[in-house]
Amino acid sequence: MSAWGSPAAVEVESRLLRALVVMRIVVLVNAVGLTIYRAGNFHPPVTALVCALVMVGWTGFAVWAYAAPERRTALLVGADLVIALGLLLVTPLVKGPGFHASVPGFWVSGALLACAIHYRWIGGLLAGVMLAVADLALRQEIDQSTYGNAFLLVIGGVVVGYMCESVQQMALERDAAERAAARAEERTRLARAVHDGVLQVLALVQRRGGELGGDAAELGRLAGEQERELRALVRGEQPEWRAQEGMTDLAAALAALETGTVTVSGPASAVELPAHPAGEIVAATRAALDNVRLHVGADARAWVLLQAFPDHVEVSVRDEGAGIPEGRLAEAEKDGRLGIAGSIRGRIVDLGGTAELFTGRMGTEWELIVPRSLDRLDRR
């Protein structure tokens, strides 16, 4: 089924056609009234009554036929246009070649707008051109008023068709956004339930398995793999960088750092930040993990936790090492080894945030806090 056949697009078309019913009735009353009033211009006068009955009968049928989406076929729309063209073409026969006003007059606008609504701007253009050409071709003399009416038929069909297409497109986009929001809400609800139970158990099994060794280590490794797959499933996306319109999902970007020895935890929903600060936060986190591999060991366990608040985000990076000996950082900075000062603390401070280091016998932990204020985060 094409996008134009979706429920949202069909509903837009139905609403416009219901509005067209009012216009059909108005132009019908006008056309029938003028036909009866000018019956003396018809030869013979009884043809005026026949033409009026045709317009009344077809209007009633069209109102009924267009009401159901399944009846809006090419045959119906084509017949609507043919009836309008037919009443235009019989005008010289019933009123003589020197007529000043066509039999249907503005009544043909009903068929024109039906084509525009159903087939959008292309249908409106084609119907408008056909009606305008037929009207002008029958006249012995074309004045400014006649040309103006023909021009309005063409431009009116295009404008209404384009408007219908635009409104349908907006309805489709709205439905897509609502479906995405519903999916995100369901993922968030599921994530809360999973995070409170299954993920925590898997993380515990992974950690304890590594500590116990042997067969338990293999069990811990499998638990870690399942935990990562389940986190990706809960997020509803692959853990990768995804930037759109200058924004990056920090949760997905940090998830890309997850390995067999690095566990990344965070909200199930996206944590969107401008691309530059998000990249700096990820780079600082990666630098902290590099320090874990360099100073604790390639197989050392590390944990990354992302927390999102309305005014700031917090990222903590913790390892299971023996901590940093007292004075080691000052000595490294004095010797020009600026990995911690520049790669981690410097990046975060430049974003207007803070980077605190806690170390001891239980390991080392970085706590990175960055404000979410756009005027500061966008600073290069």
Side-chain angles (χ1 to χ4, degrees), residues 68-129:
E70 61 272 13
R71 292 195 291 264
R72 298 170 199 160
T73 62
L75 180 61
L76 174 63
V77 180
D80 199 3
L81 184 59
V82 167
I83 294 294
L85 287 170
L87 287 171
L88 279 175
L89 295 176
V90 301
T91 300
L93 301 178
V94 298
K95 299 185 72 173
F99 69 94
H100 296 288
S102 65
V103 170
F106 291 114
W107 183 82
V108 299
S109 61
L112 169 69
L113 298 184
C115 289
I117 292 172
H118 189 69
Y119 291 112
R120 293 166 290 283
W121 71 269
I122 294 180
L125 174 63
L126 294 177
V129 169

Side-chain angles (χ1 to χ4, degrees), residues 65-316:
Y66 281 106
E70 61 272 13
R71 292 195 291 264
R72 298 170 199 160
T73 62
L75 180 61
L76 174 63
V77 180
D80 199 3
L81 184 59
V82 167
I83 294 294
L85 287 170
L87 287 171
L88 279 175
L89 295 176
V90 301
T91 300
L93 301 178
V94 298
K95 299 185 72 173
F99 69 94
H100 296 288
S102 65
V103 170
F106 291 114
W107 183 82
V108 299
S109 61
L112 169 69
L113 298 184
C115 289
I117 292 172
H118 189 69
Y119 291 112
R120 293 166 290 283
W121 71 269
I122 294 180
L125 174 63
L126 294 177
V129 169
M130 292 174 67
L131 291 169
V133 169
D135 187 30
L136 295 177
L138 297 174
R139 297 180 182 271
Q140 292 182 336
E141 191 175 313
I142 301 175
D143 55 21
Q144 185 174 355
S145 176
T146 304
Y147 170 79
N149 290 336
F151 178 76
L152 286 177
L153 285 174
V154 177
I155 199 66
V158 173
V159 170
V160 172
Y162 178 79
M163 179 194 70
C164 180
E165 182 174 349
S166 298
V167 175
Q168 286 179 316
Q169 186 64 43
M170 290 172 59
L172 292 173
E173 293 172 356
R174 180 206 62 194
D175 273 13
E178 288 179 350
R179 287 193 298 271
R183 288 195 298 267
E185 183 177 353
E186 179 61 20
R187 284 199 303 268
T188 301
R189 185 195 64 79
L190 177 62
R192 285 196 295 267
V194 172
H195 190 273
D196 289 343
V198 179
L199 290 178
Q200 291 181 355
V201 172
L202 289 174
L204 178 62
V205 171
Q206 181 184 16
R207 181 176 180 181
R208 292 294 295 162
E211 294 173 352
L212 294 174
D215 292 339
E218 177 64 15
L219 179 62
R221 184 185 67 79
L222 293 175
E225 292 178 358
Q226 293 304 311
E227 181 194 7
R228 288 191 294 274
E229 291 182 7
L230 185 55
R231 287 185 188 279
L233 178 63
V234 167
R235 289 191 184 99
E237 59 190 22
Q238 293 298 323
E240 59 184 6
W241 287 70
R242 296 202 316 168
Q244 183 176 8
E245 297 181 357
M247 302 297 287
T248 295
D249 180 2
L250 181 60
L254 289 175
L257 302 179
E258 194 166 47
T259 65
T261 58
V262 177
T263 299
V264 179
S265 302
S269 57
V271 179
E272 291 192 346
L273 291 178
H276 173 67
E280 292 293 277
I281 294 172
V282 174
T285 304
R286 185 183 291 109
L289 294 174
D290 288 341
N291 282 335
V292 174
R293 286 188 288 271
L294 179 63
H295 299 293
V296 184
D299 297 328
R301 297 284 301 150
W303 294 267
V304 178
L305 173 63
L306 169 64
Q307 299 181 82
F309 301 93
D311 59 338
H312 70 280
V313 295
E314 293 184 11
V315 178
S316 65

